[in-house]
Amino acid sequence: MTQQQIAPQGIPVGYPYGVPFVDHLGALMIEEGNGSSMLILELRPEHRNTHGAAHGGVVMTLLDIAMARAVRGQTRHQGDADHGVVTIEMKSSFCQPGLGDRLFARGTAVHRTTSMCFAEAELHDENGVLVARSSGTFKVLRPRPATAPKPAK
């Protein structure tokens, strides 16, 4: 984990999953499990567009991460191994500009089959204003088998 902070509720948060792009953004996981997740992002100047609002790419990234983490949390809750997931498709609707200092993304896993999961997410600013909504389809990957170390030469 490259970053550790304290959420307003006093909960330690971070993004300990080793995704360099998420670390670069500074998105932090507040909660995850049982088919839901919540992220927070402190908006920095480089996250904003020319109008001072959160850039659409930042908004869509937060929605995508929130849905993916909700899906992964659901698979672990169901007793499965921690499968990876890949976004197959994603639809996003922008409702209001994200003008505050913080954005909160909540993801929910809606329905899972053996190899796919459908999810939704909402992004709000610190005042509770709905910034964007999203739905997506995720492929659930099989865990990779452990490989034996190669003998030294």
Side-chain angles (χ1 to χ4, degrees):
M1 181 169 19
T2 61
Q3 200 169 30
Q4 182 74 21
Q5 294 183 2
I6 304 296
Q9 302 84 0
I11 303 168
V13 295
Y15 197 84
Y17 302 108
V19 180
F21 184 64
V22 179
D23 291 339
H24 175 73
L25 279 178
L28 304 170
M29 185 67 64
I30 295 176
E31 64 183 65
E32 175 188 36
N34 196 13
S36 68
S37 70
M38 182 170 236
L39 300 162
I40 184 173
L41 178 69
E42 300 279 342
L43 286 173
R44 299 187 308 251
E46 61 269 24
H47 295 143
R48 298 179 187 274
N49 62 24
T50 57
H51 303 288
H55 188 280
V58 170
V59 168
M60 291 184 72
T61 297
L62 291 171
L63 293 166
D64 182 48
I65 296 166
M67 289 188 292
R69 295 311 313 178
V71 169
R72 289 184 77 166
Q74 182 184 54
T75 62
R76 281 194 312 279
H77 176 73
Q78 294 174 340
D80 293 344
D82 187 10
H83 297 276
V85 299
V86 176
T87 308
I88 299 299
E89 64 83 27
M90 180 176 162
K91 180 207 183 295
S92 300
S93 298
F94 295 86
C95 304
Q96 294 284 328
L99 296 171
D101 293 328
R102 289 184 180 164
L103 295 176
F104 296 86
R106 165 136 345 250
T108 305
V110 177
H111 176 74
R112 179 169 177 217
T113 68
T114 304
S115 61
M116 303 290 272
C117 191
F118 304 94
E120 297 176 344
E122 287 191 350
L123 186 75
H124 293 85
D125 70 12
E126 65 224 8
N127 298 313
V129 173
L130 179 64
V131 174
R133 293 184 53 114
S134 188
S135 62
T137 306
F138 294 80
K139 178 159 181 58
V140 178
L141 303 175
R142 294 182 201 163
R144 291 185 181 162
T147 56
K150 294 182 180 180
K153 292 184 178 185

